[in-house]
Amino acid sequence: MTWIRILQPLQWSRRWRWLVALSLAPVLVAAVAMAVAYGTAGGWYGVNVMLRRGASTWVDVSPDDSRLSPGIRLSLAGQRTPDPAEPVRWRQVAAGLEVAELPVRVGGQPVDALLLSRIDPARYRFRVLNRPAGDRDVGDWMAATGASLVVNGSYYGHDGTPDTPVISDGRRLGPASYQATHGAFLADGPGGSGSARLVDLAGLDWRQVTDGASQAMVSYPMLLGADGRGRTAGEDERWLANRSFLGQDRAGRIIVGTTRDAYFSLPSLAAFLPRTELDLRLALNLDGGPVACQKVSASGYQRDFCGRYEMAVHGDHLQLLRPLFDYRGWALPMALVAVPR
């Protein structure tokens, strides 16, 4: 344990060492109890939640709490309309792979940023992957698959299995009975090898849409639908988090985005994306919060980011997700990877 390595060289008196040990004992007992509880509820995923990143808990906060970022505090104060979007300055890091960072400002002051990747499906193969054990973070996924890009996928349950329908390397995962009204990502389907696209599922049967695809993932909500509008009505504007999303531009390229901070609610992100120069035809939200991760590694370029924030409204209380033990990156049971062809 790290605290033991710290205490040994200090040569404290035996009395002080006992006092420190006694003060830490409840924490260690709580950690063991939580590991057992997580393990009982979620199998190996629950155990790895504790072993790999510790546990998290919801704590009450006020809108001006110092534990919140300036962007979160500004959004909670009602300033949810950013300045006009700046030009997107793409940088090619490999054939078919470009990156950019788009600042988000309010009144000229930075409050967030979109970490962007733009991918040509003709040069990159996408895979939708699930590992219920929860023993891989974003870097582990990259090492295991040889991917140039890894982003977190859609939602998952307490046992690490998909909460939405998924096709992974031709295998159907997740619920067989599901009402999908938002969107899906498909790759290497009936359109042929090298294809990847987003589909607005409004009025469509997700089973028919995904039939024949070797990779597919249903998610929600649509941030930009086929009608040019987002479907985020009813979402609480105070529910703020680091966000990840997929987009498809009018040239057919897939755009992966992750927010650096948690300024955006889902409605405000849906309102902002059409104002950018991304030329999006469709955009689909993925899971968010601390699991909003994006890693890129290509031709010497490196991006390695995972979120930090998730705000929620529970009853009348604003609550912030806080780690009890934060010594490793978050596990990603669901991942979308892009591998060079």
Side-chain angles (χ1 to χ4, degrees):
M1 295 289 290
T2 302
W3 63 272
I4 294 177
R5 292 197 296 270
I6 294 173
L7 291 178
Q8 283 177 338
L10 295 180
Q11 299 296 317
W12 285 6
S13 69
R14 179 174 298 178
R15 176 185 177 187
W16 281 107
R17 289 199 298 271
W18 273 108
L19 286 174
V20 171
L22 288 172
S23 67
L24 289 172
V27 176
L28 297 176
V29 170
V32 172
M34 292 183 74
V36 172
Y38 272 100
T40 300
W44 280 112
Y45 172 72
V47 172
N48 282 319
V49 164
M50 289 296 300
L51 295 180
R52 294 188 63 84
R53 62 167 175 80
S56 299
T57 186
W58 293 100
V59 298
D60 288 349
V61 292
S62 62
D64 58 353
D65 196 294
S66 62
R67 289 170 291 186
L68 306 179
S69 71
I72 293 177
R73 295 198 294 269
L74 197 66
S75 184
L76 290 175
Q79 299 190 49
R80 302 188 179 105
T81 303
D83 298 346
E86 300 179 14
V88 182
R89 296 180 173 86
W90 292 105
R91 170 188 172 187
Q92 181 172 302
V93 296
L97 176 59
E98 300 166 277
V99 297
E101 182 165 344
L102 178 61
V104 179
R105 306 181 192 275
V106 174
Q109 299 301 310
V111 296
D112 209 330
L114 302 187
L115 304 177
L116 300 166
S117 298
R118 188 165 67 179
I119 305 167
D120 181 355
R123 292 186 174 271
Y124 284 84
R125 179 188 176 220
F126 290 93
R127 297 176 67 194
V128 177
L129 301 171
N130 171 238
R131 192 171 174 90
D135 57 355
R136 285 183 182 170
D137 61 21
V138 64
D140 297 328
W141 277 116
M142 181 166 282
T145 61
S148 295
L149 176 141
V150 179
V151 66
N152 64 288
S154 186
Y155 305 91
Y156 56 90
H158 291 299
D159 59 355
T161 59
D163 260 354
T164 66
V166 163
I167 300 177
S168 176
D169 295 340
R171 297 179 301 116
R172 287 195 177 270
L173 306 174
S177 177
Y178 188 84
Q179 185 69 29
T181 60
H182 286 273
F185 171 80
L186 283 75
D188 293 341
S193 178
S195 66
R197 62 192 177 107
L198 291 176
V199 179
D200 187 338
L201 293 176
L204 300 177
D205 186 334
W206 65 266
R207 298 169 190 81
Q208 295 179 2
V209 170
T210 60
D211 190 35
S214 66
Q215 315 290 332
M217 176 172 57
V218 172
S219 193
Y220 59 88
M222 287 300 291
L223 299 171
L224 180 62
D227 60 358
R229 296 181 295 180
R231 294 205 289 277
T232 59
E235 298 283 350
D236 197 313
E237 290 274 16
R238 297 170 295 173
W239 196 296
L240 306 172
N242 290 95
R243 306 287 181 191
S244 283
F245 65 90
L246 297 177
Q248 183 176 6
D249 67 15
R250 297 185 191 280
R253 294 166 296 195
I254 299 300
I255 293 177
V256 177
T258 303
T259 64
R260 186 175 287 283
D261 208 312
Y263 168 76
F264 286 109
S265 65
L266 288 171
S268 62
L269 180 59
F272 180 71
L273 289 178
R275 299 171 58 202
T276 69
E277 295 181 356
L278 295 175
D279 195 27
L280 293 174
R281 189 175 66 84
L282 296 170
L284 177 64
N285 185 63
L286 300 175
D287 203 354
V291 298
C293 297
Q294 186 185 145
K295 183 175 177 68
V296 180
S297 179
S299 304
Y301 175 83
Q302 298 287 330
R303 171 189 286 161
D304 194 348
F305 175 82
C306 278
R308 178 181 176 188
Y309 294 107
E310 183 165 3
M311 284 283 304
V313 183
H314 292 153
D316 295 328
H317 302 285
L318 288 174
Q319 296 192 309
L320 175 68
L321 187 64
R322 294 276 291 177
L324 295 177
F325 311 99
D326 191 17
Y327 51 88
R328 293 194 185 184
W330 279 61
L332 298 184
M334 295 295 305
L336 175 67
V337 307
V339 184
R341 293 188 182 275

